[in-house]
Short mmCIF file of all heavy atoms in Angstrom, two decimals:
data_model
loop_
_atom_site.label_atom_id
_atom_site.label_comp_id
_atom_site.label_asym_id
_atom_site.label_seq_id
_atom_site.Cartn_x
_atom_site.Cartn_y
_atom_site.Cartn_z
N TYR A 1676 -19.33 7.90 0.83
CA TYR A 1676 -19.44 8.76 2.02
C TYR A 1676 -18.18 9.60 2.19
O TYR A 1676 -18.25 10.80 2.46
CB TYR A 1676 -19.67 7.90 3.26
CG TYR A 1676 -19.89 8.72 4.53
CD1 TYR A 1676 -21.16 9.20 4.84
CD2 TYR A 1676 -18.84 9.01 5.38
CE1 TYR A 1676 -21.36 9.96 5.99
CE2 TYR A 1676 -19.03 9.77 6.53
CZ TYR A 1676 -20.30 10.23 6.83
OH TYR A 1676 -20.49 10.99 7.96
N PHE A 1677 -17.03 8.96 2.00
CA PHE A 1677 -15.77 9.66 2.23
C PHE A 1677 -15.24 10.36 0.99
O PHE A 1677 -14.32 11.18 1.08
CB PHE A 1677 -14.71 8.68 2.76
CG PHE A 1677 -15.03 8.13 4.11
CD1 PHE A 1677 -15.23 6.78 4.30
CD2 PHE A 1677 -15.15 8.96 5.20
CE1 PHE A 1677 -15.52 6.26 5.55
CE2 PHE A 1677 -15.44 8.47 6.46
CZ PHE A 1677 -15.64 7.11 6.63
N LEU A 1678 -15.76 10.01 -0.18
CA LEU A 1678 -15.31 10.63 -1.42
C LEU A 1678 -16.45 11.42 -2.04
O LEU A 1678 -17.62 11.23 -1.72
CB LEU A 1678 -14.83 9.57 -2.41
CG LEU A 1678 -13.75 8.60 -1.92
CD1 LEU A 1678 -13.42 7.61 -3.03
CD2 LEU A 1678 -12.50 9.34 -1.49
N THR A 1679 -16.12 12.31 -2.94
CA THR A 1679 -17.14 13.05 -3.67
C THR A 1679 -17.78 12.15 -4.73
O THR A 1679 -17.22 11.13 -5.12
CB THR A 1679 -16.54 14.28 -4.37
OG1 THR A 1679 -15.59 13.84 -5.35
CG2 THR A 1679 -15.83 15.19 -3.36
N ASN A 1680 -18.95 12.55 -5.21
CA ASN A 1680 -19.59 11.79 -6.30
C ASN A 1680 -18.68 11.70 -7.52
O ASN A 1680 -18.60 10.66 -8.18
CB ASN A 1680 -20.92 12.45 -6.68
CG ASN A 1680 -22.08 11.93 -5.86
OD1 ASN A 1680 -22.05 10.81 -5.37
ND2 ASN A 1680 -23.11 12.74 -5.70
N ASP A 1681 -18.02 12.80 -7.83
CA ASP A 1681 -17.11 12.80 -8.98
C ASP A 1681 -16.00 11.78 -8.81
O ASP A 1681 -15.68 11.02 -9.72
CB ASP A 1681 -16.51 14.20 -9.19
CG ASP A 1681 -17.53 15.19 -9.75
OD1 ASP A 1681 -18.51 14.73 -10.37
OD2 ASP A 1681 -17.33 16.39 -9.58
N ALA A 1682 -15.38 11.79 -7.62
CA ALA A 1682 -14.27 10.87 -7.38
C ALA A 1682 -14.73 9.42 -7.44
O ALA A 1682 -14.02 8.56 -7.98
CB ALA A 1682 -13.64 11.17 -6.01
N PHE A 1683 -15.90 9.15 -6.91
CA PHE A 1683 -16.39 7.77 -6.87
C PHE A 1683 -16.86 7.29 -8.25
O PHE A 1683 -16.41 6.25 -8.74
CB PHE A 1683 -17.54 7.65 -5.86
CG PHE A 1683 -18.11 6.26 -5.76
CD1 PHE A 1683 -17.30 5.17 -5.49
CD2 PHE A 1683 -19.46 6.05 -5.94
CE1 PHE A 1683 -17.82 3.89 -5.39
CE2 PHE A 1683 -20.00 4.77 -5.85
CZ PHE A 1683 -19.18 3.70 -5.57
N TYR A 1684 -17.74 8.06 -8.88
CA TYR A 1684 -18.36 7.58 -10.11
C TYR A 1684 -17.46 7.71 -11.34
O TYR A 1684 -17.57 6.93 -12.28
CB TYR A 1684 -19.69 8.29 -10.34
CG TYR A 1684 -20.74 7.84 -9.36
CD1 TYR A 1684 -21.18 8.69 -8.34
CD2 TYR A 1684 -21.24 6.55 -9.40
CE1 TYR A 1684 -22.11 8.26 -7.42
CE2 TYR A 1684 -22.18 6.11 -8.48
CZ TYR A 1684 -22.61 6.97 -7.49
OH TYR A 1684 -23.53 6.54 -6.57
N PHE A 1685 -16.58 8.69 -11.32
CA PHE A 1685 -15.66 8.83 -12.46
C PHE A 1685 -14.32 8.15 -12.22
O PHE A 1685 -13.62 7.80 -13.17
CB PHE A 1685 -15.44 10.31 -12.78
CG PHE A 1685 -16.63 10.99 -13.37
CD1 PHE A 1685 -17.15 12.14 -12.79
CD2 PHE A 1685 -17.25 10.49 -14.50
CE1 PHE A 1685 -18.26 12.77 -13.33
CE2 PHE A 1685 -18.37 11.12 -15.05
CZ PHE A 1685 -18.87 12.25 -14.46
N GLY A 1686 -13.95 7.97 -10.94
CA GLY A 1686 -12.65 7.39 -10.64
C GLY A 1686 -12.66 5.92 -10.30
O GLY A 1686 -11.83 5.15 -10.80
N ILE A 1687 -13.62 5.50 -9.47
CA ILE A 1687 -13.61 4.13 -8.95
C ILE A 1687 -14.54 3.20 -9.71
O ILE A 1687 -14.16 2.07 -10.06
CB ILE A 1687 -13.98 4.14 -7.45
CG1 ILE A 1687 -12.89 4.87 -6.67
CG2 ILE A 1687 -14.16 2.73 -6.92
CD1 ILE A 1687 -13.16 4.98 -5.19
N VAL A 1688 -15.77 3.65 -9.99
CA VAL A 1688 -16.75 2.77 -10.64
C VAL A 1688 -16.27 2.23 -11.99
O VAL A 1688 -16.45 1.03 -12.27
CB VAL A 1688 -18.11 3.48 -10.77
CG1 VAL A 1688 -19.09 2.63 -11.59
CG2 VAL A 1688 -18.70 3.74 -9.39
N PRO A 1689 -15.64 3.03 -12.84
CA PRO A 1689 -15.14 2.46 -14.11
C PRO A 1689 -14.13 1.34 -13.89
O PRO A 1689 -14.11 0.36 -14.66
CB PRO A 1689 -14.50 3.66 -14.81
CG PRO A 1689 -15.24 4.85 -14.26
CD PRO A 1689 -15.48 4.50 -12.83
N ILE A 1690 -13.29 1.45 -12.86
CA ILE A 1690 -12.32 0.38 -12.55
C ILE A 1690 -13.05 -0.87 -12.11
O ILE A 1690 -12.73 -1.99 -12.53
CB ILE A 1690 -11.34 0.85 -11.46
CG1 ILE A 1690 -10.56 2.08 -11.94
CG2 ILE A 1690 -10.39 -0.26 -11.07
CD1 ILE A 1690 -9.69 2.71 -10.87
N LEU A 1691 -14.06 -0.70 -11.26
CA LEU A 1691 -14.85 -1.85 -10.80
C LEU A 1691 -15.58 -2.50 -11.97
O LEU A 1691 -15.65 -3.73 -12.06
CB LEU A 1691 -15.86 -1.40 -9.75
CG LEU A 1691 -15.29 -0.92 -8.40
CD1 LEU A 1691 -16.38 -0.32 -7.54
CD2 LEU A 1691 -14.61 -2.08 -7.67
N ALA A 1692 -16.12 -1.69 -12.86
CA ALA A 1692 -16.85 -2.23 -14.02
C ALA A 1692 -15.93 -3.02 -14.93
O ALA A 1692 -16.31 -4.08 -15.47
CB ALA A 1692 -17.52 -1.08 -14.78
N LYS A 1693 -14.72 -2.51 -15.11
CA LYS A 1693 -13.77 -3.22 -15.97
C LYS A 1693 -13.38 -4.56 -15.37
O LYS A 1693 -13.30 -5.58 -16.07
CB LYS A 1693 -12.52 -2.35 -16.18
CG LYS A 1693 -11.49 -2.97 -17.13
CD LYS A 1693 -10.29 -2.04 -17.32
CE LYS A 1693 -10.68 -0.79 -18.07
NZ LYS A 1693 -9.49 0.05 -18.38
N SER A 1694 -13.18 -4.58 -14.05
CA SER A 1694 -12.84 -5.84 -13.39
C SER A 1694 -14.02 -6.81 -13.44
O SER A 1694 -13.84 -8.02 -13.65
CB SER A 1694 -12.46 -5.57 -11.92
OG SER A 1694 -11.34 -4.71 -11.85
N ALA A 1695 -15.23 -6.29 -13.26
CA ALA A 1695 -16.42 -7.15 -13.24
C ALA A 1695 -16.69 -7.77 -14.60
O ALA A 1695 -17.23 -8.88 -14.68
CB ALA A 1695 -17.63 -6.33 -12.79
N ALA A 1696 -16.33 -7.08 -15.65
CA ALA A 1696 -16.59 -7.58 -17.00
C ALA A 1696 -15.91 -8.92 -17.24
O ALA A 1696 -16.43 -9.77 -17.98
CB ALA A 1696 -16.14 -6.56 -18.03
N THR A 1697 -14.76 -9.15 -16.61
CA THR A 1697 -14.04 -10.41 -16.80
C THR A 1697 -14.78 -11.59 -16.16
O THR A 1697 -14.47 -12.74 -16.44
CB THR A 1697 -12.62 -10.32 -16.20
OG1 THR A 1697 -12.73 -10.09 -14.79
CG2 THR A 1697 -11.84 -9.18 -16.84
N TYR A 1698 -15.76 -11.27 -15.31
CA TYR A 1698 -16.54 -12.32 -14.66
C TYR A 1698 -17.97 -12.38 -15.21
O TYR A 1698 -18.85 -13.00 -14.62
CB TYR A 1698 -16.59 -12.08 -13.15
CG TYR A 1698 -15.24 -12.12 -12.49
CD1 TYR A 1698 -14.51 -10.95 -12.28
CD2 TYR A 1698 -14.66 -13.33 -12.10
CE1 TYR A 1698 -13.26 -10.98 -11.68
CE2 TYR A 1698 -13.42 -13.37 -11.51
CZ TYR A 1698 -12.71 -12.19 -11.30
OH TYR A 1698 -11.46 -12.22 -10.71
N GLY A 1699 -18.19 -11.70 -16.33
CA GLY A 1699 -19.49 -11.73 -16.98
C GLY A 1699 -20.54 -10.84 -16.36
O GLY A 1699 -21.74 -10.99 -16.62
N ILE A 1700 -20.12 -9.88 -15.54
CA ILE A 1700 -21.05 -8.94 -14.91
C ILE A 1700 -21.08 -7.67 -15.75
O ILE A 1700 -20.03 -7.08 -16.03
CB ILE A 1700 -20.63 -8.62 -13.47
CG1 ILE A 1700 -20.60 -9.91 -12.64
CG2 ILE A 1700 -21.58 -7.61 -12.83
CD1 ILE A 1700 -20.02 -9.74 -11.26
N SER A 1701 -22.26 -7.25 -16.14
CA SER A 1701 -22.38 -6.12 -17.06
C SER A 1701 -22.12 -4.78 -16.37
O SER A 1701 -22.23 -4.65 -15.15
CB SER A 1701 -23.78 -6.08 -17.68
OG SER A 1701 -24.74 -5.72 -16.71
N ALA A 1702 -21.79 -3.78 -17.19
CA ALA A 1702 -21.56 -2.43 -16.66
C ALA A 1702 -22.83 -1.87 -16.03
O ALA A 1702 -22.77 -1.14 -15.03
CB ALA A 1702 -21.08 -1.52 -17.78
N ALA A 1703 -24.00 -2.20 -16.60
CA ALA A 1703 -25.27 -1.71 -16.05
C ALA A 1703 -25.50 -2.24 -14.65
O ALA A 1703 -25.99 -1.52 -13.76
CB ALA A 1703 -26.42 -2.10 -16.97
N GLU A 1704 -25.15 -3.49 -14.42
CA GLU A 1704 -25.33 -4.08 -13.10
C GLU A 1704 -24.41 -3.42 -12.07
O GLU A 1704 -24.80 -3.19 -10.92
CB GLU A 1704 -25.08 -5.59 -13.16
CG GLU A 1704 -26.17 -6.34 -13.93
CD GLU A 1704 -25.82 -7.79 -14.23
OE1 GLU A 1704 -24.61 -8.08 -14.41
OE2 GLU A 1704 -26.74 -8.63 -14.28
N ILE A 1705 -23.20 -3.12 -12.48
CA ILE A 1705 -22.27 -2.41 -11.59
C ILE A 1705 -22.78 -0.99 -11.32
O ILE A 1705 -22.70 -0.49 -10.20
CB ILE A 1705 -20.85 -2.37 -12.20
CG1 ILE A 1705 -20.24 -3.77 -12.24
CG2 ILE A 1705 -19.95 -1.43 -11.41
CD1 ILE A 1705 -20.04 -4.40 -10.87
N ALA A 1706 -23.32 -0.36 -12.34
CA ALA A 1706 -23.85 1.00 -12.19
C ALA A 1706 -24.99 1.02 -11.17
O ALA A 1706 -25.03 1.89 -10.28
CB ALA A 1706 -24.33 1.52 -13.53
N ARG A 1707 -25.91 0.07 -11.29
CA ARG A 1707 -27.02 0.00 -10.34
C ARG A 1707 -26.50 -0.23 -8.92
O ARG A 1707 -26.96 0.42 -7.96
CB ARG A 1707 -27.98 -1.13 -10.73
CG ARG A 1707 -28.68 -0.95 -12.04
CD ARG A 1707 -29.43 -2.22 -12.42
NE ARG A 1707 -29.60 -2.33 -13.87
CZ ARG A 1707 -29.58 -3.47 -14.54
NH1 ARG A 1707 -29.39 -4.61 -13.89
NH2 ARG A 1707 -29.74 -3.47 -15.85
N ALA A 1708 -25.56 -1.15 -8.79
CA ALA A 1708 -25.01 -1.45 -7.46
C ALA A 1708 -24.34 -0.22 -6.85
O ALA A 1708 -24.46 0.03 -5.64
CB ALA A 1708 -24.02 -2.60 -7.56
N SER A 1709 -23.67 0.55 -7.67
CA SER A 1709 -22.93 1.71 -7.16
C SER A 1709 -23.86 2.81 -6.63
O SER A 1709 -23.45 3.63 -5.83
CB SER A 1709 -22.03 2.29 -8.26
OG SER A 1709 -22.80 2.90 -9.28
N LEU A 1710 -25.11 2.82 -7.11
CA LEU A 1710 -26.05 3.86 -6.69
C LEU A 1710 -26.73 3.55 -5.36
O LEU A 1710 -27.42 4.41 -4.80
CB LEU A 1710 -27.12 4.05 -7.77
CG LEU A 1710 -26.62 4.70 -9.07
CD1 LEU A 1710 -27.67 4.59 -10.17
CD2 LEU A 1710 -26.26 6.17 -8.83
N ILE A 1711 -26.54 2.35 -4.85
CA ILE A 1711 -27.16 1.97 -3.59
C ILE A 1711 -26.74 2.90 -2.46
O ILE A 1711 -27.51 3.20 -1.54
CB ILE A 1711 -26.79 0.50 -3.24
CG1 ILE A 1711 -27.41 -0.46 -4.26
CG2 ILE A 1711 -27.21 0.16 -1.83
CD1 ILE A 1711 -28.92 -0.44 -4.31
N ALA A 1712 -25.53 3.41 -2.53
CA ALA A 1712 -24.99 4.25 -1.44
C ALA A 1712 -25.71 5.58 -1.31
O ALA A 1712 -25.52 6.27 -0.30
CB ALA A 1712 -23.50 4.51 -1.68
N GLN A 1713 -26.51 5.97 -2.30
CA GLN A 1713 -27.16 7.26 -2.21
C GLN A 1713 -28.09 7.38 -1.01
O GLN A 1713 -28.43 8.48 -0.58
CB GLN A 1713 -27.93 7.54 -3.51
CG GLN A 1713 -27.03 7.80 -4.70
CD GLN A 1713 -26.01 8.88 -4.44
OE1 GLN A 1713 -26.36 9.99 -4.03
NE2 GLN A 1713 -24.74 8.58 -4.67
N GLY A 1714 -28.48 6.23 -0.45
CA GLY A 1714 -29.31 6.26 0.74
C GLY A 1714 -28.67 7.01 1.90
O GLY A 1714 -29.37 7.59 2.73
N CYS A 1715 -27.34 7.01 1.96
CA CYS A 1715 -26.67 7.73 3.05
C CYS A 1715 -25.57 8.68 2.57
O CYS A 1715 -24.91 9.32 3.38
CB CYS A 1715 -26.09 6.74 4.07
SG CYS A 1715 -24.84 5.63 3.40
N HIS A 1716 -25.39 8.80 1.24
CA HIS A 1716 -24.33 9.66 0.71
C HIS A 1716 -24.49 11.11 1.14
O HIS A 1716 -23.51 11.81 1.41
CB HIS A 1716 -24.30 9.59 -0.81
CG HIS A 1716 -23.52 10.70 -1.45
ND1 HIS A 1716 -22.15 10.79 -1.37
CD2 HIS A 1716 -23.92 11.80 -2.16
CE1 HIS A 1716 -21.73 11.87 -2.00
NE2 HIS A 1716 -22.79 12.50 -2.48
N LEU A 1717 -25.73 11.59 1.21
CA LEU A 1717 -25.95 13.01 1.48
C LEU A 1717 -25.51 13.43 2.88
O LEU A 1717 -25.40 14.62 3.16
CB LEU A 1717 -27.42 13.36 1.26
CG LEU A 1717 -27.93 13.17 -0.18
CD1 LEU A 1717 -29.41 13.46 -0.27
CD2 LEU A 1717 -27.16 14.08 -1.14
N LEU A 1718 -25.25 12.45 3.75
CA LEU A 1718 -24.76 12.77 5.09
C LEU A 1718 -23.25 12.96 5.12
O LEU A 1718 -22.68 13.26 6.16
CB LEU A 1718 -25.16 11.67 6.07
CG LEU A 1718 -26.62 11.75 6.55
CD1 LEU A 1718 -27.07 10.41 7.10
CD2 LEU A 1718 -26.78 12.84 7.59
N SER A 1719 -22.61 12.77 3.98
CA SER A 1719 -21.17 12.98 3.90
C SER A 1719 -20.82 14.43 4.20
O SER A 1719 -21.53 15.35 3.76
CB SER A 1719 -20.65 12.61 2.50
OG SER A 1719 -19.33 13.08 2.31
N PRO A 1720 -19.76 14.68 4.93
CA PRO A 1720 -19.35 16.07 5.20
C PRO A 1720 -18.87 16.80 3.95
O PRO A 1720 -18.61 18.00 4.00
CB PRO A 1720 -18.21 15.91 6.22
CG PRO A 1720 -17.70 14.52 6.00
CD PRO A 1720 -18.89 13.70 5.61
#
Side-chain angles (χ1 to χ4, degrees):
Y1676 184 85
F1677 294 118
L1678 306 179
T1679 63
N1680 271 334
D1681 287 338
F1683 180 55
Y1684 289 109
F1685 290 125
I1687 295 178
V1688 173
I1690 299 173
L1691 293 172
K1693 183 179 292 186
S1694 300
T1697 62
Y1698 298 95
I1700 300 172
S1701 70
E1704 290 170 328
I1705 292 297
R1707 295 171 206 145
S1709 70
L1710 290 168
I1711 294 298
Q1713 290 307 307
C1715 61
H1716 164 71
L1717 297 177
L1718 281 161
S1719 167

